[in-house]
Every structure is written in structure tokens, then in C-alpha cells.
Amino acid sequence: EVQLVGSGGGLVQPGGSLRLSCAVSGFTFSSYPMNWVRQAPGKGLEWVSAISSSGGSTYYADSVKGRFTISRDNSKKMLYLQMNSLRAEDTAVYYCAKRRDAVATMGALDIWGQGTMVTVSS
Amino acid sequence: SYELTQPPSVSVSPGQTARITCSADALPKQYAYWYQQKPGQAPVLMIYKDSERPSGIPERFSGSSSGTTVTLTISGVQAEDEADYYCQSADSSGTSFGTGTKVTVL
């Protein structure tokens, strides 16, 4: 069974840091680009970041560029999102998601994790 | 990234047809994708490449494209189709999601 399990969320103070993890199983992780998407409480979906299958190319939304870093460990089948200089507006459920196609980093996301909640508040 | 505009809400009676539009200037050059999200759950891919349906998605869900607008059509709406629906499009450097449409089954 294809599965993405996110973890690492929690309560953090403004200006703080947090690292999210996404454990993958059920498919050849190293072949597929991966994405992070977030959803603030009661709001819509917002794309955060993407990484190529090899990890050699990374992409970020303007709202997180310079503060967040996406990475992956293909040997461990793990995806990460390092979040620094957190702000109240970063409060959201963060989803890891698998690209449907192995060809391009951007496009349809066919498998999503259950989401992990990040709350930035003093 | 760019803005993808959807109507905030669509209401439909069971058995009728619901149509959800998504528009943006960049759509003619990029494919569009559609997701269904129910409360407390992760999104589910319903349509990819404008009109392709992943395995396991009911045939009553279909997608189409015309000019700068893409449309998700739900034919013969069922109570279980009540959810939020989001379009998505992407280019080589990023992805954008639509503003979301809440479908209410009356």
C-alpha cells in the first residue's frame, strides 16, 4: 500500500524553527518528485515547496523562500521540510504529497499524507 | 505562480449536474488538475491533465478545457460528493491552487 506519514508538527514561538518529516512506503521513492502543500485553518490549499526525484532541484513559494528548505533522503525514503524564522501566518496543516508522474517536478499530486499541524504562536 | 479563480460555492440537488469553473490567463499553456477535499481529510486527485481520470475515481467526474477556463463536471451528483474542490495548475517553477469551491448537495 502506498503511504505517506507526516510528523514533526507542533507549537512553536514566532521566530522559531521546526523540521517536518514525511516517511514514505509502497512505491519507489527515489523515482518521484515530492511536494509540500499547506492549509491554514479554514482556508484553501497553498503550495509550499517541491523537490526533484534526485533532490538536485528545489522550488519554493515566494512566501517561504529563504526561510524553508526542502530535502530528501532516498536511502531512508524520507522527505523533510526545515522551517526557520516561523511567523504566525505559517500556522497551517502541512501535507507531503507525491507527484503522479516521474517526468516533471510540477504537476498532479496523486498521494497525500495525513497532514501535520504547525502552530506558530507565543 | 498565478491566480486561479473559482466560484466560492455551488449548490446542486441530488442527481443533477454540478459544474465548477477555474480560470486564469496561463491555463491555455498548462494542464489543470482537480482535487476533492472533505472535512478533516487530505485532498484526493480527481482529474489530471485537464480531463484524465485516475483509477478508482467514479465516471460521474469529468474535466474539460476551453480557452482560459477549465471545468470540473459532476454528473448525477450524490450526497457523498459534498466537499471542497480545488483546481491546480503548474509551470516549470511552481504550482498554484485555485481559491476553492464548496459544493453543497441540497
Side-chain angles (χ1 to χ4, degrees):
Chain A
E1 180 191 6
V2 177
Q3 201 170 12
L4 307 179
V5 179
S7 62
L11 174 64
V12 61
Q13 291 188 339
S17 298
L18 211 56
R19 187 175 88 151
L20 304 184
S21 300
C22 178
V24 167
S25 60
F27 66 96
T28 306
F29 179 62
S30 60
S31 294
Y32 290 89
M34 297 292 293
N35 285 240
W36 288 98
V37 176
R38 68 184 180 184
Q39 187 170 34
K43 302 297 184 182
L45 301 175
E46 180 188 13
W47 175 74
V48 173
S49 184
I51 188 167
S52 62
S53 57
S54 68
S57 297
T58 57
Y59 308 84
Y60 300 94
D62 289 343
S63 58
V64 306
K65 200 171 293 183
R67 300 188 299 123
F68 289 12
T69 302
I70 190 172
S71 62
R72 63 191 295 161
D73 185 332
N74 285 345
S75 66
K76 295 182 179 178
K77 297 186 178 182
M78 294 290 297
L79 175 72
Y80 304 103
L81 186 67
Q82 177 67 43
M83 304 185 295
N84 298 331
S85 302
L86 283 162
R87 307 165 179 167
E89 54 264 37
D90 296 318
T91 294
V93 173
Y94 285 73
Y95 296 100
C96 53
K98 168 188 168 292
R99 265 286 281 130
R100 182 184 181 279
D101 300 320
V103 175
T105 302
M106 304 300 174
L109 304 173
D110 65 342
I111 305 295
W112 295 61
Q114 86 283 10
T116 185
M117 182 71 203
V118 172
T119 303
V120 184
S121 174
S122 55
Chain B
S1 64
Y2 36 82
E3 288 190 12
L4 299 175
T5 303
Q6 299 179 233
S9 62
V10 168
S11 297
V12 59
S13 300
Q16 299 302 304
T17 296
R19 294 182 179 84
I20 306 165
T21 58
C22 172
S23 60
D25 290 343
L27 277 174
K29 305 180 183 70
Q30 308 294 341
Y31 284 122
Y33 316 96
W34 288 95
Y35 300 85
Q36 177 193 70
Q37 186 181 34
K38 296 182 178 180
Q41 298 183 18
V44 174
L45 179 66
M46 305 302 283
I47 296 289
Y48 65 98
K49 290 185 179 179
D50 292 348
S51 59
E52 299 293 323
R53 197 171 46 249
S55 61
I57 301 303
E59 291 184 6
R60 64 180 182 273
F61 291 90
S62 63
S64 61
S65 176
S66 178
T68 59
T69 299
V70 292
T71 301
L72 174 69
T73 300
I74 313 173
S75 304
V77 166
Q78 301 183 5
E80 67 201 51
D81 300 331
E82 185 163 287
D84 294 326
Y85 291 83
Y86 296 91
C87 61
Q88 176 211 0
S89 193
D91 59 23
S92 60
S93 62
T95 285
S96 293
F97 286 94
T99 49
T101 299
K102 181 174 181 57
V103 170
T104 300
V105 181
L106 300 171

